[in-house]
Amino acid sequence: MFERLPSNWMLALKSIGYWLWLIPVLGIPLSYYWSLGSEQADAWAWLVVGIVFGVIPLLDFIVGRDPANPDEAEQVPQLEQQGYYRFLSLCTVPALLAMLGWAGWVFVHYQAWSWVGQLGWLLSVGTVTGAIGITVAHEFIHKDSRLEQNAGGLLLAAVCYAGFKVEHVRGHHVHVSTPEDASSSRYGQSLYAFLPHAYKHNFLNAWKLEAERLKRRGLPALHWRNELISWYAISALMLLGFGLALGWLGALFFIVQSLIAFTLLEIVNYVEHYGLHRRKLDNGRYERTNPSHSWNSNFLLTNLFLFHLQRHSDHHAYAKRRYQVLRHFDDSPQLPNGYAGMIVLALIPPLWRAVMDPRVRAYYAGEEHQLTDSQLLPR
């Protein structure tokens, strides 16, 4: 639909389109208000889940792809210096935290929902804190400014996944698409085999990396400068706040939405690197990360919702690039749909393998031995 628009037009359109993140965030209160007095109150609680994983994958096909890349010489320096894009992403922080607190109050006090409606509400809120909150946190933790680092940490604390702040930058980006990385899924590995190891690795490797950083400074792991202690303490304070304000149901709400949010993150990790790996060189090291080591998805609509997260190939090759200047590479391995659709597919392993395994094999055509090597499970 937009593939023939001039690049300048697309960049202008996207500068406004990034505000689409407001739709799922505002969808939470809207679904509550539309359920008031409705005979289908339980169904309204599932509204955001239904739109994200039902409607958006179809719209991705209808809206189509985005071929526009900013000009490296002129547009990229200008776009990176514009405070508008940083302001836009920072606006998500108060909006998401306010939504989370209000949604907890509704979960505890709204009587029209049965357990079905409550489940839909938890899944909807967790989808928003995961898809929008963790995506923006991911953008922030790759930046150098203290404001963005703290904003990213706060959003991750709100879903009890502070380890991602350390492990993703210092672990995943170093070892991506190698057997050493638990966040890079193997060819033939199901989502349900991938998730438990990813959960465990995120916490343990984050702690190991932070302990090593402190050791180099002559400090013990249990020190106030250990940022994991600080961020997990904030998560504990949030949990305590929900418990004191809303009782045990409020605490349960906070824990379950966190579980849903960081599970969504790890499913996205599964999708982003499935079956792809870096070759080991003769010197025993792995080749440098390049755009061929991540799946790319250039569907416009979901890229706007997710701040160009789907241009993941460029992100891994150049991790410091801001979301507004991430590029599409035609020669990167390409997903057949946006992340929303691919997440649904990943939840059904036979369908996932039927769609994705031929693409992996085609990508390694002539080097099929690489597929055998890639099945080595991460440590």
Side-chain angles (χ1 to χ4, degrees):
M1 181 181 295
F2 295 96
E3 292 183 23
R4 296 184 180 180
L5 286 180
S7 178
N8 286 343
W9 289 23
M10 282 301 302
L11 291 174
L13 175 67
K14 288 194 291 185
S15 69
I16 300 171
Y18 291 125
W19 287 102
L20 285 177
W21 68 266
L22 282 168
I23 292 178
V25 176
L26 295 177
I28 296 296
L30 282 176
S31 62
Y32 164 73
Y33 286 116
W34 287 339
S35 75
L36 294 173
S38 172
E39 294 181 359
Q40 291 80 38
D42 282 344
W44 283 115
W46 292 80
L47 177 67
V48 171
V49 174
I51 290 176
V52 170
F53 298 111
V55 176
I56 288 180
L58 296 176
L59 289 178
D60 268 333
F61 282 120
I62 295 170
V63 175
R65 293 175 170 85
D66 163 27
N69 284 333
D71 178 77
E72 287 296 307
E74 296 184 8
Q75 293 174 321
V76 168
Q78 294 174 1
L79 289 168
E80 287 196 328
Q81 293 301 316
Q82 290 179 15
Y84 164 78
Y85 291 97
R86 188 184 302 186
F87 168 78
L88 191 158
S89 56
L90 286 169
C91 284
T92 64
V93 180
L96 285 164
L97 295 179
M99 181 278 295
L100 181 61
W102 177 83
W105 182 91
V106 170
F107 178 79
V108 172
H109 292 99
Y110 191 45
Q111 301 298 315
W113 289 330
S114 68
W115 70 268
V116 175
Q118 289 180 319
L119 176 60
W121 188 249
L122 286 166
L123 287 169
S124 292
V125 174
T127 295
V128 174
T129 54
I132 305 301
I134 296 181
T135 294
V136 178
H138 169 263
E139 171 73 14
F140 288 151
I141 63 176
H142 279 287
K143 304 304 175 282
D144 295 326
S145 79
R146 185 177 296 275
L147 175 61
E148 289 170 298
Q149 282 285 319
N150 288 338
L154 187 59
L155 288 174
L156 291 171
V159 294
C160 302
Y161 219 52
F164 182 74
K165 187 175 186 297
V166 172
E167 204 288 323
H168 177 79
V169 177
R170 291 186 245 159
H172 175 60
H173 269 262
V174 174
H175 301 295
V176 63
S177 298
T178 73
E180 283 73 30
D181 182 39
S183 293
S184 297
S185 51
R186 303 292 172 257
Y187 177 73
Q189 183 182 28
S190 77
L191 173 66
Y192 303 102
F194 169 83
L195 284 175
H197 194 79
Y199 296 145
K200 175 183 174 182
H201 182 82
N202 183 278
F203 178 81
L204 294 180
N205 200 46
W207 185 265
K208 175 185 174 183
L209 290 167
E210 187 66 355
E212 290 173 352
R213 182 184 71 86
L214 291 170
K215 184 178 180 179
R216 289 193 296 269
R217 298 186 176 189
L219 300 173
L222 292 175
H223 192 274
W224 66 269
R225 288 187 178 177
N226 185 324
E227 68 169 313
L228 291 176
I229 293 175
S230 302
W231 293 119
Y232 280 121
I234 292 175
S235 294
L237 288 174
M238 289 181 176
L239 175 61
L240 179 62
F242 272 86
L244 292 175
L246 301 171
W248 71 269
L249 275 177
L252 178 67
F253 166 84
F254 180 73
I255 292 172
V256 175
Q257 69 82 27
S258 295
L259 174 63
I260 294 166
F262 65 68
T263 296
L264 186 60
L265 161 67
E266 295 298 355
I267 297 174
V268 169
N269 275 333
Y270 176 86
V271 168
E272 288 171 338
H273 303 286
Y274 178 76
L276 302 176
H277 58 282
R278 289 150 60 194
R279 296 165 179 82
K280 183 170 279 191
L281 305 176
D282 293 338
N283 62 8
R285 296 187 177 186
Y286 291 100
E287 63 181 323
R288 182 171 179 168
T289 306
N290 63 55
S292 71
H293 298 129
S294 306
W295 288 96
N296 197 64
S297 179
N298 207 34
F299 289 88
L300 174 62
L301 185 63
T302 316
N303 257 326
L304 291 176
F305 275 111
L306 298 179
F307 296 86
H308 267 170
L309 179 67
Q310 296 180 148
R311 290 189 167 184
H312 208 63
S313 300
D314 195 21
H315 167 69
H316 263 283
Y318 306 96
K320 290 289 186 182
R321 288 180 75 99
R322 292 190 174 271
Y323 69 90
Q324 66 269 26
V325 296
L326 288 174
R327 298 160 295 180
H328 165 72
F329 293 98
D330 287 329
D331 55 352
S332 295
Q334 303 294 318
L335 292 172
N337 195 244
Y339 280 5
M342 299 310 296
I343 287 168
V344 174
L345 205 63
L347 293 171
I348 311 170
L351 291 181
W352 171 265
R353 295 203 64 183
V355 172
M356 291 301 297
D357 282 9
R359 286 174 165 79
V360 177
R361 289 195 298 271
Y363 195 74
Y364 286 104
E367 295 184 276
E368 283 78 8
H369 66 279
Q370 297 283 345
L371 297 177
T372 303
D373 294 341
S374 75
Q375 294 182 49
L376 295 171
L377 292 178
R379 292 194 289 271

